[in-house]
Amino acid sequence: MTQNPNYHLETLAVHAGVEPDPTTGAVMTPIYQTSTYAQADVAQHKGYDYSRTDNPTRTALHGALAALEGGTYALAFASGMAAIDTILRLIKPGQHVLSGNDVYGGTFRLFDKVLSGLGIEFTFADTTDDTAVSAAIQPNTKLIWLETPTNPMLRLTDIAAIAQIAHVAGAWLGVDNTFASPALQSPLALGADFVVHSTTKYIGGHSDVVGGAIVLNDTAVYEQLKFLQNAIGAVPGPMDCFLTLRGIKTLAIRMAQHCRNATQVAHFLADHPAVAEVIYPGLESHPQYELAQRQMRGPGGMISFILHGGEKAARLVARETKLFTLAESLGGVESLIELPAPMTHASVADSPLAIDPGLVRVSVGIENAQDLINDLKQVLNRV
Ligand SMILES: *Cc1c(COP(=O)(O)O)cnc(C)c1O
């Protein structure tokens, strides 16, 4: 089942990785809440021996994640950051990583504050511009790292074009696919070597679990990452794997509703006199609308917008919506609202990546679109 390439995403989301439990026939994956496993004899173990190394609930999740991304192998982690950190352990001191310049703040912090202290060289470039990427390649470049769409500016990078640049340079391409989810974008099919997710977001989808994942095709690199997963030990527990698997079942229908709702909300915002600018890959006004149409199967659930009233108006909106909860994170069934400049992006305040303090970011949930629009309307009519 897991590797059957003929099934569509909706089917894979429900079935991939999951087989009825061999001992009981349980249809839903059991939560194997155990740290260790009885062995038949000394030093002859086959199968499971210790849950840092492997756990059946995690094995099922690996199967589901690989199938969703159309990859051969997947590995699950305790968080998105743990997944990214584990890939970076493939990079040796003296090697160079070329990263997108508006990656997730936690990724920037890991690269800039943790790993560059260990002798890995980083440069940050605008991956939306092929020429800038080519110019930043060095003889020791081993990895190009990017996100598309980015947070919160929703800029897009042409994955296939950058994959080609990476491979000519003898480097890997890693794509953080958290914002699009596997329902809307398939980086491996476009030439990426690694796909990473914060499964905390759309894959889990219910704001009830933190997790991460790597998906890839190369067997030798998979073996190295599998070794690192066990050696480092940033693995998710069985309950977290179960919750993520449970979330995955509805990924396809959730993403369809996120896209439908966000499209309606984006059009409402674009027509509202209090709103100066709406950034959404599904609007023709998006500077990379054509790339979004070509590379993504839907525009996603994230919208950023700027109000004529600036920061003061943005703060009022973020505080006074009722259905949109003021909170960090994204990708859950419930709508969230936040101001990146003082909240998620405070750490880049004094850098060229500083975000307009009047920018509002919303993660549009799967509620009724008109209810969401009415909620925004009642506050926008007052700013
Ligand atoms: C949240 C997020 C991460 C980090 O994932 P955690 O699960 O919070 O560790 C990485 N990349 C992107 C794009 C994210 O949104």
Side-chain angles (χ1 to χ4, degrees):
M1 163 68 226
T2 305
Q3 303 300 338
N4 188 328
N6 298 319
Y7 289 121
H8 296 88
L9 186 92
E10 295 84 347
T11 309
L12 293 171
V14 174
H15 291 284
V18 178
E19 301 289 346
D21 183 51
T23 54
T24 64
V27 166
M28 198 43 213
T29 312
I31 303 160
Y32 285 90
Q33 195 71 49
T34 187
S35 61
T36 189
Y37 306 82
Q39 306 295 308
D41 202 346
V42 177
Q44 278 194 357
H45 101 87
K46 292 196 194 75
Y48 295 94
D49 58 8
Y50 186 61
S51 277
R52 168 161 37 72
T53 315
D54 274 310
N55 175 282
T57 316
R58 180 161 25 114
T59 305
L61 176 58
H62 288 168
L65 291 165
L68 291 176
E69 281 292 357
T72 311
Y73 305 105
L75 293 163
F77 293 86
S79 68
M81 291 320 304
I84 297 170
D85 182 54
T86 302
I87 289 181
L88 268 289
R89 304 294 178 122
L90 299 171
I91 311 302
K92 303 284 172 281
Q95 293 183 326
H96 172 242
V97 176
L98 171 50
S99 168
N101 64 6
D102 63 349
V103 290
Y104 176 70
T107 303
F108 179 76
R109 180 174 57 195
L110 175 71
F111 291 176
D112 187 54
K113 297 271 190 292
V114 181
L115 297 171
S116 51
L118 302 178
I120 299 173
E121 213 183 313
F122 289 89
T123 47
F124 296 89
D126 177 3
T127 56
T128 68
D129 175 359
D130 306 5
T131 334
V133 172
S134 293
I137 294 272
Q138 301 179 183
N140 58 342
T141 304
K142 185 69 187 166
L143 174 67
I144 299 181
W145 191 263
L146 62 87
E147 288 170 23
T148 178
T150 60
N151 175 25
M153 300 310 292
L154 304 172
R155 294 191 184 100
L156 306 187
T157 289
D158 185 334
I159 297 170
I162 304 299
Q164 201 170 1
I165 294 172
H167 296 155
V168 167
W172 287 311
L173 174 62
V175 175
D176 182 333
N177 202 25
T178 299
F179 264 48
S181 93
L184 304 183
Q185 182 168 271
S186 303
L188 293 177
L190 297 168
D193 300 284
F194 307 106
V195 175
V196 158
H197 282 281
S198 168
T199 56
T200 315
K201 316 293 169 52
Y202 287 108
I203 288 185
H206 294 73
S207 307
D208 55 6
V209 61
V210 171
I214 304 172
V215 188
L216 74 165
N217 286 321
D218 187 290
T219 303
V221 180
Y222 164 73
E223 295 296 344
Q224 290 178 60
L225 287 170
K226 174 72 191 145
F227 169 83
L228 289 167
Q229 183 196 40
N230 180 50
I232 297 167
V235 293
M239 183 68 189
D240 288 357
C241 293
F242 171 84
L243 285 169
T244 308
L245 270 169
R246 164 86 180 235
I248 284 173
K249 305 244 179 231
T250 55
L251 177 69
I253 57 169
R254 280 188 286 110
M255 289 314 297
Q257 177 80 351
H258 284 298
C259 290
R260 268 195 303 271
N261 280 357
T263 299
Q264 289 191 48
V265 169
H267 280 107
F268 160 75
L269 289 169
D271 290 342
H272 198 284
V275 178
E277 187 187 348
V278 182
I279 308 168
Y280 182 60
L283 292 181
E284 283 180 47
S285 58
H286 190 285
Q288 295 163 297
Y289 178 73
E290 179 276 326
L291 177 58
Q293 295 290 305
R294 177 154 54 86
Q295 178 165 277
M296 301 176 72
R297 291 182 287 274
M302 301 300 298
I303 305 171
S304 292
F305 59 96
I306 296 172
L307 297 165
H308 286 299
E311 186 176 356
K312 189 157 166 279
R315 284 180 184 251
L316 178 78
V317 169
R319 209 171 48 232
E320 302 216 352
T321 46
K322 297 194 166 56
L323 285 175
F324 287 84
T325 302
L326 178 59
E328 298 188 2
S329 198
L330 62 116
V333 290
E334 64 289 300
S335 293
L336 302 179
I337 190 165
E338 70 126 5
L339 301 194
M343 293 175 69
T344 45
H345 288 65
S347 61
V348 294
D350 299 321
S351 82
L353 300 177
I355 304 297
D356 183 328
L359 185 106
V360 182
R361 186 190 83 177
V362 290
S363 173
V364 180
I366 63 168
E367 303 95 332
N368 177 279
Q370 196 55 51
D371 290 342
L372 296 175
I373 287 169
N374 289 343
D375 188 30
L376 289 167
K377 196 185 283 175
Q378 59 82 19
V379 57
L380 287 176
N381 289 348
R382 289 185 279 139
V383 301

